[in-house]
Amino acid sequence: MTQHITTEQILALTSRPDLIERLLALLDRIRIDEVSGDLEIRNGAASVILQTSGTVRVTGRRIVQDAERDIALTAAWIDLN
């Protein structure tokens, strides 16, 4: 069973409340679906979802890939538009 702790309880445990506040802000952007186990990281209009099935979903207004060398795509089927 998941135990919830309040912000006040966490802040009382540390002498670095600024650090705890930043961690809590980060935790607000991370979700784990209790049924499927999928992990979602969200920031504004962008998100990455790691599904337990192995599917990775990257969503955003603009997605940019940078590489010093190759970008390799290996799949049974690659659908480009």
Side-chain angles (χ1 to χ4, degrees):
M1 185 160 107
T2 304
Q3 184 178 12
H4 297 281
I5 188 167
T6 66
T7 302
E8 292 77 24
Q9 290 170 319
I10 292 172
L11 292 175
L13 298 175
T14 181
S15 61
R16 294 277 319 268
D18 61 317
L19 180 61
I20 297 299
E21 288 175 17
R22 289 189 298 186
L23 282 171
L24 290 172
L26 177 62
L27 288 173
D28 280 340
R29 298 174 186 212
I30 299 171
R31 301 269 187 263
I32 299 175
D33 186 288
E34 292 183 20
V35 175
S36 67
D38 296 350
L39 171 69
E40 178 180 10
I41 303 168
R42 179 172 292 281
N43 188 21
S47 70
V48 176
I49 300 174
L50 306 174
Q51 296 179 326
T52 56
S53 66
T55 298
V56 177
R57 294 187 176 276
V58 179
T59 305
R61 289 191 183 120
R62 184 170 182 240
I63 298 172
V64 178
Q65 291 181 324
D66 291 316
E68 289 182 21
R69 298 195 55 183
D70 301 344
I71 294 177
L73 301 174
T74 304
W77 180 263
I78 298 174
D79 184 4
L80 298 175
N81 293 338

